[in-house]
Amino acid sequence: LEMFGLIVRLYYDTTAISWLVPALLGEQDLEIKTNVSDGVMPSECFLFFDLSKPGANRRKNGIFFPKDLEVGFLPAGLFPRLVGNAVKWAQETNGLNDNWIATKSHAHLAFGKDDFTMDLHEAINCIKLTIHAQWPTGVFNRFLAISRKAIKEFLGDRLSVTGLIKYEEENAYVDMVRLGLQTQDDREENVYSKTSAETRFKINRKLITLAEIRATCPQWTFPDQL
């Protein structure tokens, strides 16, 4: 059970042995606190889950709309597993402090010095990450790796996960890998990694360049992309 994140031993209390069982968590009112300075703006992204082999059911142009997300699939037992595994990694990199929170649909943790929250959005089959770090890709990629591992243990190859950034101006979501907004390693593995900044995408009958999309989320891009 501990191996799969179904139960997690908590080490912050050295006077007793404590365990977290994510599946038994309830809801509670939350007052979110962070350990970062006011000068760091939070970065938001989404992990979208659907029943397909990795990459098989993605929109070809990397643009998703809410209706596309509604047909995904986020198993009821997956979020607690991700909370458990995220708590385990938080302890390995930072230790749990007085600010950590975990509920049925929300968690507030830190990987190293970078705080983040994870929220369950069942209506669009997503988990929303809000990361309080100047460069949020480190937290995102660790959480993506945790998600892929949990999926493999839970459903094998029947479930895929796609990282998305919301393009607020058009109420659309951008596939981070397809548009080169993720890490160098992931970009090297997909055919869209060398997409020109002047490439245009049709969103709500408008032609918008990749450069314009990247300009709305500079914290997710590499310096040579800006």
Side-chain angles (χ1 to χ4, degrees), residues 151-196:
I151 287 171
K152 187 173 183 180
E153 296 166 347
F154 194 28
L155 288 172
D157 294 329
R158 290 177 292 172
L159 191 71
S160 69
V161 55
T162 305
L164 303 174
I165 295 175
K166 190 170 185 181
Y167 185 54
E168 295 283 359
E169 294 182 21
E170 299 295 335
N171 193 28
Y173 297 81
V174 181
D175 183 330
M176 296 169 72
V177 174
R178 291 295 180 101
L179 298 184
L181 297 177
Q182 206 176 313
T183 66
Q184 187 68 33
D185 290 340
D186 284 327
R187 288 168 59 208
E188 289 175 350
E189 294 175 1
N190 78 82
V191 296
Y192 291 82
S193 61
K194 295 183 179 179
T195 303
S196 167

Side-chain angles (χ1 to χ4, degrees), residues 48-51 72-82 120 122 125-127 150-151 154-155 158-160:
F48 168 59
F49 299 84
D50 70 319
L51 284 170
F73 178 64
L74 178 54
L78 183 58
F79 188 80
R81 284 176 180 248
L82 297 182
L120 181 62
E122 293 180 291
N125 299 289
C126 287
I127 292 174
I151 287 171
F154 194 28
L155 288 172
R158 290 177 292 172
L159 191 71
S160 69

Side-chain angles (χ1 to χ4, degrees), residues 20-171:
L20 172 69
V21 184
L24 299 182
L25 291 169
E27 294 289 6
Q28 66 182 57
D29 294 333
L30 303 174
E31 180 181 353
I32 304 303
K33 302 176 182 179
T34 63
N35 294 325
V36 297
S37 67
D38 293 338
V40 178
M41 295 295 294
S43 302
E44 297 180 352
C45 63
F46 296 79
L47 293 179
F48 168 59
F49 299 84
D50 70 319
L51 284 170
S52 66
K53 291 185 178 180
N57 197 33
R58 288 176 172 170
R59 298 274 300 206
K60 289 184 178 180
N61 66 351
I63 305 298
F64 290 73
F65 295 97
K67 65 180 181 180
D68 299 315
L69 305 183
E70 292 172 3
V71 298
F73 178 64
L74 178 54
L78 183 58
F79 188 80
R81 284 176 180 248
L82 297 182
V83 169
N85 282 287
V87 168
K88 287 172 62 177
W89 186 254
Q91 291 191 125
E92 292 181 23
T93 59
N94 185 57
L96 297 181
N97 54 46
D98 292 338
N99 285 338
W100 86 281
I101 295 171
T103 75
K104 184 179 180 180
S105 60
H106 172 91
H108 175 214
L109 302 165
F111 290 167
K113 60 181 176 58
D114 296 328
D115 284 41
F116 71 95
T117 61
M118 49 188 289
D119 292 281
L120 181 62
H121 285 242
E122 293 180 291
I124 56 173
N125 299 289
C126 287
I127 292 174
K128 178 183 177 182
L129 296 182
T130 304
I131 303 169
H132 299 266
Q134 184 176 3
W135 300 107
T137 52
V139 170
F140 170 78
N141 285 305
R142 172 53 58 181
F143 194 85
L144 182 63
I146 288 172
S147 300
R148 287 173 172 165
K149 182 176 181 292
I151 287 171
K152 187 173 183 180
E153 296 166 347
F154 194 28
L155 288 172
D157 294 329
R158 290 177 292 172
L159 191 71
S160 69
V161 55
T162 305
L164 303 174
I165 295 175
K166 190 170 185 181
Y167 185 54
E168 295 283 359
E169 294 182 21
E170 299 295 335
N171 193 28

